[in-house]
Amino acid sequence: MDNLIPIVNKLQDAFTSLGVHMQLDLPQIAVVGGQSAGKSSVLENFVGKDFLPRGSGIVTRRPLILQLIHGVTEYGEFLHCKGKKFLNFDEIRKEIEDETDRVTGSNKGISNIPINLRVYSPHVLNLTLIDLPGLTKVAIGDQPVDIEQQIKQMIFQFIRKETCLILAVTPANTDLANSDALKLAKEVDPQGVRTIGVITKLDLMDEGTDARDILENKLLPLRRGYIGVVNRSQKDIEGRKDIHQALAAERKFFLSHSSYRHMADRLGTPYLQRVLNQQLTNHIRDTLPGLRDKLQKQMLTLEKEVEEFKHFQPGDASIKTKAMLQMIQQLQSDFERTIEGSGSALVNTNELSGGAKINRIFHERLRFEIVKMACDEKELRREISFAIRNIHGIRVGLFTPDMAFEAIVKRQIALLKEPVIKCVDLVVQELSVVVRMCTAKMGRYPRLREETERIITTHVRQREHSCKEQILLLIDFELAYMNTNHEDFIGFANAQNKSENANKTGTRQLGNQVIRKGHMVIQNLGIMKGGSRPYWFVLTSESISWYKDEDEKEKKFMLPLDGLKLRDIEQGFMSMSRRVTFALFSPDGRNVYKDYKQLELSCETVEDVESWKASFLRAGVYPEKQETQENGDEIMKNFKKCTANNAIFVFLHCII
């Protein structure tokens, strides 16, 4: 049984030294906790030496696989420095820092490439621990803004495996319900079967309080229970207080404390080390049969592949066919993941692509193109007037003729052809980009890649032709019959009822929904007033608000959208900014924000601006050329409603 942990250590070293992904879920203990929870102090107490980097911010930026081995002499070895023995533990700390910076740089970034450290000492028990970066909330220095998510993903890579025990370290001077370590452990181990709780800083609790209920496993029960420890204070660490003296002080604290005296034999760092040694040994023993079966299966698979390569003939047609089919299947899988968005390791983090871009074309670009095609209302009224008089001829009409209504509406519905066909072209263009990206793996076989792209592109072009024919046919359907009997058709009576209901309730049908969130820059504010800097904007159906950052805690302003319009802002010849700008303004000339007649907003790309414009359209903020009148005549109301109904009908069919 004593040799189980060293055997697993050899397997870990083998995978790490080969530089391959560990396909076996080896039994191990992962140390999880927030920053300054005391993880480093616990590990140093096990060894009895100061050897881990310390400081402010994220200190542990790579997983540290710490293998403790009971031996006669005391020294350390790194897997990346084979044959070199580190007798001075200060040099071990320096080597960990240098090796971390070598991979992650000096900008406080993180990496999931582990550092393997083996420590031999007569004061340790055989034990293997994985020290993971502490959870952080705020990015510092040159760290990416999503540093918290990156750390969580790294931690989940280890603790979600069923063979991994979780050592959840939580300081006693914080509420256990707010423990970051226990929260993460709960997500992957909801029953608490694999989690071992460690409560640190028991000596720093407020006077009159204790952690007795936690240590007795009554508050948040875990199958393997909780163990309390007392680490050295920051003053002790800076004063280089001997760890053995600290362990003696820890023992004295538990024996003299009235709340912990009765359980002192089940508390402290030495007891924690013994428990972890026993738990890991038992865990390896329980998982060893399954691990052996998995190794045997992988060995049989490799032996079969080796046997095939012994008789490999480069000119064998069956081997070529098999290789080609494998590449085609991989192409199919990559294309499907790119369109469906089911996830890939090569996901694009810089811009929208594949299915996400096609979705944006359907739901934002098409809507925006339809709104942009709106004509001048004065010109439209003039056309309606001529149509009515031409239909009446020499007669003086009393009512609006249906023929005039249909003639004008059909003419407007026919305008839908251009934006819809344009969006089909954009989708085909994006599909061509996806095909070229997915066939990049065939670069070693240029003729195969060329022929594959030709076949797929030809098929896409054929479907494009059929799609356009179907869309034009759908528009012809809409032109063939005006359904003025539909319940959504506004009419005179229905318009009056809706107006009365709206006045009674005083609410909008849409409600104050959140439509979009994102960063934009306010361009027209002076530098001394805090302008020309990015803010976090939240667009709802009734207002747009901006905050200092994504936390949405410090609101700068909230601007109601009623009566506002959009207009494009052209950059002057002398402008040094390359950002794309648009503005919110009030047609009646009133101030929009403080003393400003318009609020100028900018994004880095044209696509971002168009996407924001489409979102403003959903909130009822239209471009400058779009003019609306509340008290239009009956034919204008019917025309607008009928055009909208038919446009939505065509839009839905395009998506299908």
Side-chain angles (χ1 to χ4, degrees):
M1 294 295 291
D2 294 338
N3 294 326
L4 289 179
I5 295 179
I7 290 174
V8 175
N9 290 343
K10 291 180 180 180
L11 288 173
Q12 279 181 327
D13 292 346
F15 278 109
T16 304
S17 60
L18 290 175
V20 298
H21 176 67
M22 189 179 295
Q23 298 177 346
L24 292 174
D25 295 339
L26 298 178
Q28 53 197 4
I29 300 177
V31 185
V32 180
Q35 285 191 26
S36 303
K39 304 190 302 300
S40 298
S41 297
V42 171
L43 298 181
E44 288 180 340
N45 288 347
F46 286 166
V47 179
K49 296 286 185 180
D50 294 324
F51 68 96
L52 292 176
R54 292 182 179 274
S56 60
I58 302 178
V59 179
T60 304
R61 294 183 282 129
R62 289 176 58 184
L64 175 66
I65 300 178
L66 178 61
Q67 300 174 358
L68 305 181
I69 301 174
H70 185 77
V72 179
T73 57
E74 193 172 48
Y75 64 93
E77 284 183 346
F78 286 96
L79 189 62
H80 62 273
C81 298
K82 282 189 174 181
K84 181 178 180 180
K85 294 184 179 181
F86 291 82
L87 301 176
N88 189 339
F89 280 78
D90 290 334
E91 295 180 1
I92 293 179
R93 179 191 299 109
K94 182 67 166 52
E95 182 62 28
I96 294 175
E97 294 174 349
D98 294 343
E99 179 65 13
T100 300
D101 291 341
R102 185 182 65 83
V103 175
T104 64
S106 58
N107 61 348
K108 296 295 184 179
I110 64 172
S111 171
N112 59 358
I113 302 176
I115 299 175
N116 285 57
L117 171 62
R118 182 175 294 176
V119 176
Y120 295 85
S121 174
H123 307 295
V124 301
L125 300 176
N126 289 340
L127 189 60
T128 301
L129 300 163
I130 301 177
D131 186 20
L132 296 172
L135 288 170
T136 183
K137 302 294 183 182
V138 180
I140 61 175
D142 296 331
Q143 289 176 346
V145 294
D146 61 339
I147 185 68
E148 180 182 3
Q149 294 300 323
Q150 290 187 20
I151 294 176
K152 285 184 178 181
Q153 290 176 4
M154 180 192 298
I155 294 174
F156 282 139
Q157 287 179 0
F158 291 90
I159 66 175
R160 67 162 49 100
K161 299 175 182 177
E162 292 296 328
T163 56
C164 179
L165 297 180
I166 306 170
L167 192 67
V169 181
T170 304
N173 54 359
T174 61
D175 191 354
L176 194 66
N178 297 326
S179 170
D180 293 327
L182 291 177
K183 181 181 178 182
L184 291 178
K186 196 74 173 178
E187 293 185 28
V188 297
D189 183 29
Q191 303 300 324
V193 177
R194 298 187 285 118
T195 305
I196 304 171
V198 176
I199 307 300
T200 63
K201 303 183 181 181
L202 291 169
D203 56 330
L204 300 182
M205 298 186 69
D206 294 337
E207 188 175 354
T209 62
D210 57 59
R212 180 172 178 174
D213 290 341
I214 300 174
L215 297 176
E216 290 180 350
N217 209 16
K218 295 179 180 179
L219 191 59
L220 290 176
L222 296 175
R223 188 74 60 87
R224 300 175 188 266
Y226 294 87
I227 299 175
V229 297
V230 175
N231 298 325
R232 291 177 299 166
S233 65
Q234 188 62 34
K235 181 179 179 181
D236 295 336
I237 295 173
E238 293 175 355
R240 310 289 291 182
K241 182 178 181 179
D242 184 68
I243 291 181
H244 298 289
Q245 295 179 3
L247 293 178
E250 177 190 49
R251 178 67 175 170
K252 181 179 179 181
F253 171 80
F254 287 126
L255 290 174
S256 60
H257 199 287
S258 59
S259 299
Y260 309 131
R261 188 182 300 120
H262 67 288
M263 62 178 84
D265 293 337
R266 291 180 283 112
L267 299 174
T269 302
Y271 176 76
L272 174 61
Q273 190 174 6
R274 292 195 302 271
V275 168
L276 293 181
N277 172 265
Q278 187 63 41
Q279 295 273 13
L280 183 58
T281 302
N282 295 338
H283 189 56
I284 294 174
R285 181 193 61 194
D286 296 338
T287 57
L288 197 58
L291 181 63
R292 181 186 59 188
D293 294 341
K294 190 176 292 186
L295 276 173
Q296 289 177 344
K297 290 179 181 179
Q298 290 188 7
M299 191 185 333
L300 291 174
T301 302
L302 291 174
E303 289 177 350
K304 184 178 179 181
E305 292 180 359
V306 170
E307 192 66 27
E308 290 179 355
F309 281 111
K310 285 182 180 179
H311 307 286
F312 177 74
Q313 297 293 332
D316 190 350
S318 61
I319 295 178
K320 293 181 179 180
T321 303
K322 181 180 179 181
M324 185 183 70
L325 289 176
Q326 288 177 345
M327 284 187 286
I328 296 298
Q329 290 174 351
Q330 183 65 40
L331 171 65
Q332 175 188 353
S333 176
D334 292 344
F335 188 87
E336 182 178 355
R337 284 202 303 265
T338 305
I339 299 299
E340 296 294 335
S342 57
S344 172
L346 301 178
V347 62
N348 192 340
T349 58
N350 298 321
E351 61 181 358
L352 291 181
S353 62
K357 192 167 185 177
I358 294 174
N359 180 63
R360 180 178 179 176
I361 291 172
F362 278 137
H363 292 89
E364 294 184 4
R365 185 64 179 267
L366 178 58
R367 186 188 296 268
F368 185 63
E369 293 293 335
I370 291 176
V371 173
K372 279 203 311 184
M373 77 177 189
C375 62
D376 186 8
E377 189 165 327
K378 292 182 180 180
E379 180 65 21
L380 182 60
R381 288 180 178 275
R382 189 182 64 83
E383 293 177 4
I384 293 173
S385 176
F386 282 138
I388 293 174
R389 282 191 280 179
N390 286 332
I391 290 174
H392 283 157
I394 62 173
R395 297 180 301 276
V396 178
L398 181 61
F399 300 103
T400 302
D402 292 344
M403 293 179 62
F405 171 76
E406 290 192 5
I408 298 298
V409 170
K410 287 182 178 180
R411 185 171 176 273
Q412 296 298 315
I413 292 176
L415 296 177
L416 292 172
K417 294 180 181 179
E418 181 179 351
V420 170
I421 296 299
K422 181 178 180 180
C423 288
V424 173
D425 293 336
L426 291 175
V427 172
V428 172
Q429 179 182 350
E430 181 59 27
L431 288 176
S432 301
V433 173
V434 173
V435 170
R436 287 195 298 271
M437 181 179 64
C438 293
T439 55
K441 295 182 179 180
M442 298 181 179
R444 292 179 297 171
Y445 309 98
R447 291 183 59 187
L448 175 62
R449 179 180 182 180
E450 181 181 352
E451 188 65 16
T452 302
E453 289 184 1
R454 186 191 65 79
I455 294 173
I456 298 177
T457 303
T458 301
H459 179 73
V460 170
R461 293 298 179 185
Q462 292 174 351
R463 304 316 303 166
E464 175 192 3
H465 180 70
S466 301
C467 179
K468 289 181 178 179
E469 287 183 346
Q470 182 69 17
I471 288 174
L472 295 177
L473 183 61
L474 289 173
I475 294 178
D476 290 338
F477 289 167
E478 298 299 315
L479 292 173
Y481 180 72
M482 300 291 110
N483 183 15
T484 59
N485 199 33
H486 193 274
E487 60 181 6
D488 289 339
F489 186 76
I490 190 166
F492 179 77
N494 201 9
Q496 187 177 9
N497 291 335
K498 287 188 176 181
S499 178
E500 292 176 355
N501 292 335
N503 291 334
K504 289 180 180 179
T505 58
T507 58
R508 298 176 62 179
Q509 184 179 0
L510 184 62
N512 194 23
Q513 302 174 359
V514 176
I515 296 176
R516 186 187 180 95
K517 295 182 178 182
H519 286 286
M520 284 193 292
V521 171
I522 302 179
Q523 288 290 116
N524 59 326
L525 298 186
I527 298 178
M528 299 302 294
K529 296 182 180 180
S532 298
R533 57 155 292 181
Y535 290 100
W536 179 256
F537 284 81
V538 178
L539 175 64
T540 68
S541 55
E542 295 182 353
S543 64
I544 181 169
S545 307
W546 55 93
Y547 300 81
K548 181 179 179 181
D549 48 38
E550 299 179 15
D551 293 338
E552 299 182 12
K553 294 181 179 179
E554 185 177 344
K555 180 185 287 189
K556 295 296 183 181
F557 196 77
M558 184 183 72
L559 177 64
L561 299 177
D562 290 339
L564 297 185
K565 300 290 183 186
L566 284 174
R567 68 158 59 111
D568 293 325
I569 302 294
E570 295 185 0
Q571 294 290 346
F573 177 75
M574 300 298 293
S575 177
M576 300 298 293
S577 175
R578 296 183 179 180
R579 301 179 66 86
V580 186
T581 308
F582 67 100
L584 294 173
F585 72 100
S586 177
D588 56 10
R590 62 181 172 85
N591 292 338
V592 174
Y593 172 64
K594 296 184 178 179
D595 297 332
Y596 296 93
K597 296 293 183 182
Q598 64 182 18
L599 184 67
E600 297 180 6
L601 306 173
S602 69
C603 302
E604 293 184 355
T605 63
V606 177
E607 288 188 355
D608 291 338
V609 169
E610 290 182 351
S611 178
W612 271 103
K613 286 182 179 179
S615 300
F616 275 108
L617 291 178
R618 292 178 57 192
V621 180
Y622 294 94
E624 186 175 10
K625 294 182 180 179
Q626 179 76 15
E627 297 181 1
T628 58
Q629 295 184 5
E630 295 181 359
N631 299 319
D633 55 19
E634 179 183 355
I635 189 169
M636 280 301 301
K637 292 181 180 179
N638 291 340
F639 157 70
K640 290 180 181 178
K641 189 63 180 182
C642 190
T643 303
N645 285 339
N646 285 274
I648 293 172
F649 182 81
V650 174
F651 168 68
L652 292 175
H653 278 79
C654 288
I655 296 178
I656 295 173

